[in-house]
């Protein structure tokens, strides 16, 4: 079965599909194609499970950032909490969001709001990323990371978190997509917090945004 119906309508014909590698997190697929001009081509790409990326907001109006060691690039990076869907069996990613908050920052949220989705690198991989806003996030004394996760937890005032992106210290493109997409809402939350508004008032701001 051709799983690229839009491509098929454009004249991209899949002649052969081969799985070169597969494990629980992703597979590597190679497609041999006949292109619309009659020539043949090869596309080799990772087929990956999705991921959730989370903007955790504390009752004090801080955005909880993390610094995490990433082995593949051998660097400590500023990030927002995130996690793969590969080992999640539920139908509601809000449950996965709560699990990742608990694991990565020792956090619990009063409310979860979906922010939509994006493709991480559509010229290279199939992975889709789903964003979530987590409100009223309280932090325990410790987090519960996996054995490959080395994480520092940094509750950060929203203006400082935005500055980290704009100055290039926070370099994750997917993080930037969701943080800057939600910048008006984040600034509205920050404005209410510095004016001494209650957390319930901040929640009302988010509900009005979703209405």
């Amino acid at each position: 079965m051709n799983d690229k119906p839009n491509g098929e309508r454009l004249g991209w014909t899949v002649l052969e599909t081969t799985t070169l590698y597969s494990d629980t997190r992703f597979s590597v697929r190679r497609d041999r194609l006949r292109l619309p001009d009659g020539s043949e081509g090869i596309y080799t790409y990772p087929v990956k499970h999705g991921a959730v990326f989370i903007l955790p907001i504390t009752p004090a109006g801080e955005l909880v950032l993390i610094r995490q060691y990433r082995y593949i690039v051998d660097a400590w990076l500023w990030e927002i909490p995130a996690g793969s869907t590969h080992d999640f069996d539920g139908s509601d990613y809000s449950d996965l969001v709560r699990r990742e908050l608990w694991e990565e920052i020792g956090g619990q949220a009063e409310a979860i709001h979906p922010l939509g989705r994006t493709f991480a690198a559509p010229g290279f991989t199939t992975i889709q990323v789903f964003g979530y806003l987590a409100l009223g996030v309280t932090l325990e004394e410790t987090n519960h990371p996996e054995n490959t996760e080395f994480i520092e937890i940094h509750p950060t005032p929203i203006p400082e978190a935005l500055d980290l992106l704009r100055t290039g210290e926070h370099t994750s493109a997917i993080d930037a997509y969701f943080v800057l997409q939600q910048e008006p809402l984040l600034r509205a939350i920050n404005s209410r917090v510095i004016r001494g508004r209650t957390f319930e008032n901040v929640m009302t701001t988010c509900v009005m945004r979703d209405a």
Side-chain angles (χ1 to χ4, degrees):
M1 175 183 289
N2 187 347
D3 60 354
K4 313 284 188 185
N6 290 322
E8 187 173 31
R9 283 190 286 271
L10 290 170
W12 295 57
T13 303
V14 179
L15 303 175
E16 180 184 33
T17 293
T18 305
T19 299
L20 302 178
Y21 173 81
S22 181
D23 65 20
T24 58
R25 288 182 176 267
F26 74 98
S27 60
V28 178
R29 167 173 164 171
R30 181 172 64 195
D31 291 345
R32 185 168 64 88
L33 307 168
R34 180 175 295 113
L35 301 174
D37 66 0
S39 63
E40 289 193 10
I42 298 289
Y43 269 73
T44 303
Y45 53 98
V47 177
K48 297 197 67 174
H49 294 273
V52 294
F53 276 58
I54 311 158
L55 303 182
I57 307 295
T58 69
E62 296 170 309
L63 176 61
V64 184
L65 301 178
I66 62 175
R67 277 176 55 81
Q68 181 166 195
Y69 173 71
R70 291 296 188 179
Y71 169 78
I72 292 176
V73 295
D74 190 34
W76 284 87
L77 301 177
W78 284 104
E79 299 180 355
I80 58 176
S84 171
T85 65
H86 77 280
D87 59 350
F88 179 71
D89 295 328
S91 58
D92 184 354
Y93 284 163
S94 294
D95 295 332
L96 175 59
V97 168
R98 293 185 186 278
R99 188 189 78 182
E100 292 299 328
L101 288 173
W102 183 80
E103 288 182 359
E104 295 201 351
I105 63 173
Q108 296 187 27
E110 288 196 24
I112 304 290
H113 293 265
L115 299 176
R117 64 169 185 159
T118 187
F119 290 97
F124 171 70
T125 179
T126 61
I127 187 171
Q128 295 184 62
V129 177
F130 301 86
Y132 287 84
L133 180 71
L135 292 168
V137 175
T138 55
L139 303 177
E140 298 179 358
E141 292 186 1
T142 184
N143 58 351
H144 312 85
E146 298 177 8
N147 63 354
T148 58
E149 293 178 326
F150 292 79
I151 294 173
E152 298 174 353
I153 302 164
H154 295 270
T156 306
I158 286 171
E160 293 181 20
L162 292 168
D163 285 344
L164 285 172
L165 282 169
R166 290 203 162 87
T167 59
E169 292 185 64
H170 186 162
T171 56
S172 168
I174 299 174
D175 292 10
Y177 173 82
F178 286 115
V179 172
L180 297 179
Q181 179 199 61
Q182 298 301 316
E183 181 175 359
L185 176 61
L186 293 174
R187 289 197 180 278
I189 291 172
N190 183 67
S191 175
R192 281 157 175 75
V193 167
I194 63 177
R195 294 206 305 267
R197 300 293 182 87
T198 64
F199 175 69
E200 287 72 19
N201 182 273
V202 172
M203 288 279 288
T204 300
T205 301
C206 299
V207 171
M208 290 173 62
R209 187 285 307 267
D210 289 340

